[in-house]
Amino acid sequence: MVDFSLSADQESLRDLARKFARSDMAPHAAECDRTPRFPEEIYRKAYELGLMNLNVPVEFGGSGLKVFEQCLIVEELAHACGGMTTSVIANCLALEPILLGGSPEQQERFLKPFCAEYNFASFGLTEPSGGSDAGGLQTRARREGDHYVLDGEKCFITNAPHASLFTVFATVDPSRRTKGITAFVVPRTARGVSTGKDEEKMGHRASSTSTVRFDGVEVPVNDRLGEEGEGFSIAMRTLDQTRTPIGALATGIAQAALDLAAAYSLKRQSFGKPISEHQAIQIKLANMAQAVHAARLLTWQAAWTIDQGGKGTLESSIAKCFASDSALHVADEAIQTFGGYGYMKEYPVEKLLRDAKLTQIYEGANEIQRTVIARELLRRYA
Ligand code: CAA
């Protein structure tokens, strides 16, 4: 039987995240957005509370949570600040390839020391020549005896300026497209690794984003994840796992927008009564509430599917795509409810729109999600 109630453990995880989000993140969200600032003290506390390496098994020092529990946490954090949440959960994306493609020896060697301390890792897939066409990436990996030599550049890499570890996708032969892509773990200290300047972004400004260059970086064969040519599958399976929490992140932003708009509508007067008494506003709030509920339910269903052992490719793309489109729409309607004040930086709703926008782009643009959804769907009719 389907059951939407949360267990006592799930309730307490959500409470922990909500308390941290409201008391530690929310009070600094506007300032970190404006400055912008990467709030190390907040991220360190998130690590100490076990809110950072959510998907890493407890035996390696992570929190060992299923995707559903990750989503409960991520929604709460994103209600306070989408940008901080992106930085808090980026380790999950970066470490998932090690969980999926690493040998037991590699998992022990990379994950244990990493999780034992406050650290950031970054996922290096996207390149300047094209993010959506992951199979066309150009970073080269040339085998020379017992090591590979990596040359190339990655872009839009979350937390890269702060990362001590990178999971990197490179090709041993570009003519083989997806079949040449190979995954590696590269420490920041490796000679030839460098990061670019912090990008000036529209939203998620508490998060840090930059390019990463690999100039003749020597990577031992022992640090290759899986076999040569397995990297594309590792990257796609990673995104199957992590797109659902992005649905939760978008849902958190949308819920925050709805909360602010509803509360404001009860206070703001026009035509001699609170605007909440005008049907135009009631219809807006009702539509916003429907979008938030549907986004959460699709996210929960995708998480449930993966936690039951399903692949979740279709469900995670549906959840990510619907929740992020909903977040943008709900944030837009929240601004409309606030009227002119909503457009002012003094009020918190315009930030939600800027933060919501990225959820339609990262971890696969929504056009790619629709491609994935259509492919999965049509396969069932073929
Ligand atoms: N799981 C396992 N294998 C998969 C898979 C999946 N989900 N999806 C595809 N594959 C396999 C296919 O079965 C196929 O295998 P065979 O050749 O053996 O049949 C192989 O991979 C190639 O697949 P496609 O032919 O479908 O490949 P494609 O070139 O047409 O591309 C794509 C598919 C879905 C468009 C893919 O390129 C894609 O997902 N692009 C978007 C990339 C993306 O999401 N980037 C985000 C980066 S992370 C980020 O934004 C992070 C941040 O910092 C916050």
Side-chain angles (χ1 to χ4, degrees):
M1 185 170 110
V2 175
D3 182 357
F4 292 106
S5 58
L6 301 184
S7 69
D9 282 351
Q10 289 167 341
E11 290 272 12
S12 73
L13 266 176
R14 188 167 70 170
D15 288 349
L16 172 79
R18 181 172 296 175
K19 194 159 166 278
F20 172 70
R22 307 237 162 139
S23 63
D24 292 85
M25 291 169 64
H28 303 282
E31 175 254 312
C32 290
D33 173 60
R34 191 174 54 246
T35 316
R37 183 170 76 85
F38 187 82
E40 293 266 13
E41 74 288 0
I42 295 175
Y43 300 145
R44 184 177 289 278
K45 185 156 179 195
Y47 166 75
E48 285 161 2
L49 289 171
L51 298 175
M52 246 167 90
N53 302 314
L54 300 173
N55 55 344
V56 177
V58 174
E59 61 190 292
F60 299 127
S63 302
L65 297 178
K66 293 190 165 251
V67 178
F68 185 80
E69 278 93 33
Q70 293 176 40
C71 288
L72 293 177
I73 290 172
V74 171
E75 184 185 328
E76 291 304 324
L77 302 185
H79 189 282
C81 181
M84 289 183 202
T85 307
T86 288
S87 272
V88 168
I89 66 170
N91 281 0
C92 300
L93 173 66
L95 301 177
E96 188 69 35
I98 303 176
L99 296 170
L100 291 173
S103 65
E105 181 276 325
Q106 287 174 321
Q107 293 177 350
E108 178 94 13
R109 181 157 55 88
F110 292 122
L111 297 173
K112 258 198 174 165
F114 180 88
C115 293
E117 289 180 27
Y118 165 68
N119 273 311
F120 287 106
S122 294
F123 180 77
L125 178 68
T126 304
E127 300 192 352
S129 56
S132 289
D133 183 12
L137 63 79
Q138 297 295 314
T139 295
R140 292 297 300 267
R142 288 184 190 78
R143 176 101 185 231
E144 288 183 4
D146 62 355
H147 64 269
Y148 289 84
V149 178
L150 263 55
D151 282 287
E153 187 178 30
K154 301 290 176 180
C155 68
F156 309 140
I157 306 303
T158 300
N159 291 345
H162 305 268
S164 57
L165 202 71
F166 297 92
T167 43
V168 182
F169 298 85
T171 178
V172 292
D173 180 358
S175 70
R176 289 168 63 198
R177 270 192 57 89
T178 57
K179 299 273 183 284
I181 295 175
T182 308
F184 300 93
V185 179
V186 182
R188 184 190 194 83
T189 49
R191 190 139 48 93
V193 177
S194 59
T195 55
K197 70 171 175 55
D198 230 323
E199 303 285 0
E200 177 81 23
K201 301 192 297 295
M202 169 182 174
H204 292 244
R205 287 161 61 80
S207 177
S208 177
T209 310
S210 80
T211 53
V212 187
R213 283 198 59 81
F214 301 92
D215 291 306
V217 177
E218 290 188 9
V219 182
V221 172
N222 269 347
D223 295 355
R224 184 189 70 208
L225 299 172
E227 297 300 321
E228 279 190 10
E230 266 187 41
F232 192 75
S233 163
I234 293 173
M236 292 300 112
R237 287 184 289 130
T238 293
L239 292 163
D240 284 345
Q241 297 285 318
T242 58
R243 282 176 179 154
T244 304
I246 297 302
L249 194 154
T251 305
I253 294 173
Q255 182 69 60
L258 173 60
D259 291 348
L260 287 165
Y264 183 77
S265 75
L266 290 164
K267 285 190 317 205
R268 176 71 174 168
Q269 301 269 330
S270 78
F271 301 97
K273 54 185 177 184
I275 61 171
S276 60
E277 291 180 23
H278 297 307
Q279 280 193 348
I281 298 298
Q282 289 175 354
I283 290 166
K284 241 184 237 316
L285 293 174
N287 287 340
M288 291 158 81
Q290 289 178 54
V292 173
H293 276 254
R296 181 175 299 115
L297 287 174
L298 285 171
T299 298
W300 282 17
Q301 195 238 352
W304 178 86
T305 301
I306 295 168
D307 290 342
Q308 297 296 311
K311 201 161 172 293
T313 306
L314 173 72
E315 294 81 0
S316 60
S317 281
I318 289 178
K320 190 272 188 194
C321 189
F322 184 88
S324 57
D325 284 351
S326 298
L328 194 80
H329 175 65
V330 173
D332 189 23
E333 287 293 74
I335 293 177
Q336 195 69 17
T337 306
F338 273 70
Y341 291 114
Y343 199 66
M344 300 297 147
K345 288 205 178 263
E346 195 187 337
Y347 285 77
V349 281
E350 60 83 34
K351 172 181 184 291
L352 298 176
L353 186 88
R354 290 186 284 107
D355 286 349
K357 185 62 209 171
L358 186 58
T359 63
Q360 291 185 311
I361 298 172
Y362 69 2
E363 297 226 11
N366 280 3
E367 289 74 10
I368 293 297
Q369 306 309 325
R370 289 185 167 88
T371 302
V372 171
I373 293 164
R375 283 182 184 180
E376 292 288 314
L377 197 69
L378 291 170
R379 190 171 299 148
R380 294 169 194 199
Y381 290 90

